[in-house]
Amino acid sequence: MTGPAEDAPAERIPGRPEPSPAPAPESSPPSGPVARDDRAVVRDALGVGVAVGLSGFAFGVTSAGAGLSLLQTCALSLFVFTGASQFALVGALAAGGNPLTAAAGAFFLGVRNVFYGLRLSPLLRLPRAVRPFAAQVVIDETSLVAFAQPDRRGARIGFTVTGLSLYALWNLSTLAGAAGAAALGDTDAWGLDAAGPAVFLALLAPMLTSAVERATAGLAVLLVLGCTPLLPAGVPVLAAGLAAPLVLALKGRAFRAPRTPEGHGGDREAPGEPRDARSAPGDARKSGESVRDVPEEGGSR
């Protein structure tokens, strides 16, 4: 006899294929809040890239007005690609400064990108093959967008979109500015040399969140303004670098200043700790003996 029908294996129906196992669910592209967050990051990154990238036109005009050729101007944007250093270099050259001094000032301004890279490396965790290309676009704008993101995915998207859009537009607008500088006539009358510093200050101002940072920036401005009439072009920028160690030294001296001792005994009470709990064991014993020595009312020992 056979067992119950429910114990027998299911029979295959002739002419009908065996049912295939359900396929594993494929990974779908991000949707919902993640997709909306990615679109927001791309939108913000493109806004920064387009706004700052177009200011390369001002650099192209300023560089041509300083006497640099079209090839030299475009080479600075292609290989240096750090707006503040580029403007500092051509500004010092336009003022008649020594080329070595102008290059030194531009170099020290570009050193800040090294510290950006130190912070971006653990945040982005890019593959080794990509890092040399990513290093070319480690500047103020890409770092600012990446640091503003809440996670690694958003930081990578913001850094990449900002870097690519800004690099492309900066070089294209530099070419347009340098090629069309002759048609503008007197470039000083347009005031385009102030576009680069204005963009740099607009990016720097929101990052000055502490009193030490604001004091350092203020002292650097005062050093530049005081040294400009006295020193050759390019040197005041180097002098502004002294602001950071001076502020840190003053902060260290204020921190190490002796403080007035509290109380006459020198002992500080811990918050919320009763005074009796800090008594020495001997004091507690003496206190206990004195309590036992007092006779109770209406009774004898």
Side-chain angles (χ1 to χ4, degrees), residues 208 212-225 243 247:
L208 303 178
V212 175
E213 294 171 348
R214 290 190 290 267
T216 303
L219 181 58
V221 171
L222 294 178
L223 288 174
V224 170
L225 294 177
V247 172

Side-chain angles (χ1 to χ4, degrees), residues 22-298:
E26 298 180 357
S27 58
S28 57
S31 60
V34 176
R36 289 195 296 269
D37 292 344
D38 291 349
R39 288 195 294 268
V41 174
V42 172
R43 183 185 65 245
D44 296 341
L46 284 176
V48 174
V50 172
V52 181
L54 293 177
S55 63
F57 181 85
F59 170 73
V61 173
T62 305
S63 179
L68 275 71
S69 66
L70 178 64
L71 181 61
Q72 291 172 330
T73 300
C74 292
L76 280 175
S77 288
L78 282 170
F79 300 111
V80 178
F81 189 59
T82 170
S85 297
Q86 293 178 235
F87 274 104
L89 176 63
V90 299
L93 293 177
N98 189 308
L100 294 178
T101 304
F107 172 79
F108 280 105
L109 277 177
V111 167
R112 71 187 186 280
N113 296 331
V114 176
F115 299 99
Y116 289 153
L118 293 177
R119 289 191 58 189
L120 285 171
S121 179
L123 174 63
L124 300 178
R125 294 186 181 275
L126 297 174
R128 292 184 180 273
V130 180
R131 292 178 185 177
F133 302 98
Q136 178 65 11
V137 294
V138 175
I139 54 176
D140 302 301
E141 294 81 5
T142 55
S143 303
L144 183 63
V145 173
F147 293 150
Q149 308 310 318
D151 52 17
R152 178 172 289 114
R153 176 186 176 84
R156 285 182 171 181
I157 295 175
F159 177 84
T160 303
V161 175
T162 306
L164 293 178
S165 60
L166 180 52
Y167 188 82
L169 284 176
W170 179 268
N171 283 278
L172 290 175
S173 58
T174 296
L175 175 62
L184 293 176
D186 186 10
T187 56
D188 294 338
W190 293 83
L192 294 176
D193 55 337
V199 172
F200 183 76
L201 288 177
L203 292 170
L204 179 63
M207 301 175 66
L208 303 178
T209 56
S210 66
V212 175
E213 294 171 348
R214 290 190 290 267
T216 303
L219 181 58
V221 171
L222 294 178
L223 288 174
V224 170
L225 294 177
C227 295
T228 297
L230 306 175
L231 300 177
V235 178
V237 176
L238 302 178
L242 299 175
L246 288 176
V247 172
L248 292 177
L250 293 176
K251 180 184 177 183
R253 290 186 59 183
F255 182 77
R256 292 191 300 267
R259 300 179 180 180
T260 304
E262 300 182 5
H264 299 286
D267 296 334
R268 300 181 60 183
E269 299 180 8
E273 183 181 1
R275 178 176 296 274
D276 295 342
R278 298 191 314 275
S279 302
D283 297 337
R285 184 175 60 254
K286 293 178 181 179
S287 176
E289 292 175 356
S290 61
V291 170
R292 289 193 298 269
D293 292 338
V294 178
E296 299 180 0
E297 295 183 1

